[in-house]
Amino acid sequence: MMMSVWKPVAALPQHVPLAISQRGDWVECVHYGSIAVCDASGHLLYRAGDVDTPQFTRSTLKPFQALPLLNSGGVEHFGLTARQLALLCASHSGEPMHVEAVSAMLAQVGGQVSQLQCGCQVPLFYTDHALPADATFTPLHHNCSGKHTGFLAYCQLHGHDPSNHLSPRHPLQQAIREAVAQTCQVNPADMPMGIDGCSAPNYALPLRALATGYARLAAGVVPGMAGAPLQPLYQAMQTHPDMVSGSGRFDLALTRQGEGRWVAKGGADGVQAIAVQHAGYGIAIKIADGNARALHTVTLTLLQQLGLLDHPERTALAAWHQPPLHNAAGLTVGGMVARIELAEHRRP
């Protein structure tokens, strides 16, 4: 008899319908999820669904995972450029420009490819491109290799043993946990931990906490931290979105469409975060079933409703806005539409 490996959790998020996919004129799938929009003080401005139950942040956490290195003077010590700071926050596509940049940064911080513990994967670039028959890959091609290079830089800077630097008990990961908690205004004890696809610890946060963190990324400032520790990361992500993402990717197109007003960072399994600098708030979205098409449609529809983006169908984002469903013969047989009911919470 087959046994289930799924274990019940303390609380399931109370998501709401955010998007539907249709076949013909009939609903085929309903995509549930939740949305939080917060300012840098942590005040909830808009919500849909469950903004309080912790949910895994995945790669949206990367700017905050880089904070211990920045707060330790790592930028100055290693002479890191803005392009390299963008790589610390990246889920890159493993294109030659990414692999070469990570390789150079790794040498610059005194690391070796063999020390990267993110694993090896077929680069995201080949999701939409033919894979060469003779292709070979290393951990440099992994979408998280920039973040992991930053991990090694922190260990080098502080003289920590890099061999176990992904252990939750390692000083690096303890520093990251504290930085995430402070930035996102949560108690470290209230951050469930899991292991991410790249083997690093990842944390589940309420969406309102993740949105608060991204509002602070937009502002550059974290209460209780000296200076403006997030400012260089925001600037790097805004200036070099091609390093954060990759050719043809949603985050690249979305950040460029903002023209300096925001930066976008997606995560696996239906997570999207946006730091909106000119409006002074952060956005966090989770699609419960992890559907990327639904996530992109919801993100663009939300930006419309918030008055941040007019007519996405007329922009470089058109392919992600209410995308049609085609069958094998190329016929349009349906499509995706977002249905968002936001509740507004006025600032005190």
Side-chain angles (χ1 to χ4, degrees), residues 111-127:
Q112 303 291 328
V113 175
S114 61
Q115 293 176 301
L116 294 173
Q117 297 178 16
C118 51
C120 184
Q121 65 176 172
V122 176
L124 297 174
F125 179 74
Y126 294 109
T127 302

Side-chain angles (χ1 to χ4, degrees), residues 66-75 154 157-158 179 182 225-226 228-230:
L67 270 176
L69 177 63
L70 270 70
N71 288 338
S72 299
V75 174
Y154 182 91
L157 184 63
H158 291 274
Q182 187 172 352
M225 286 189 189
L230 285 167

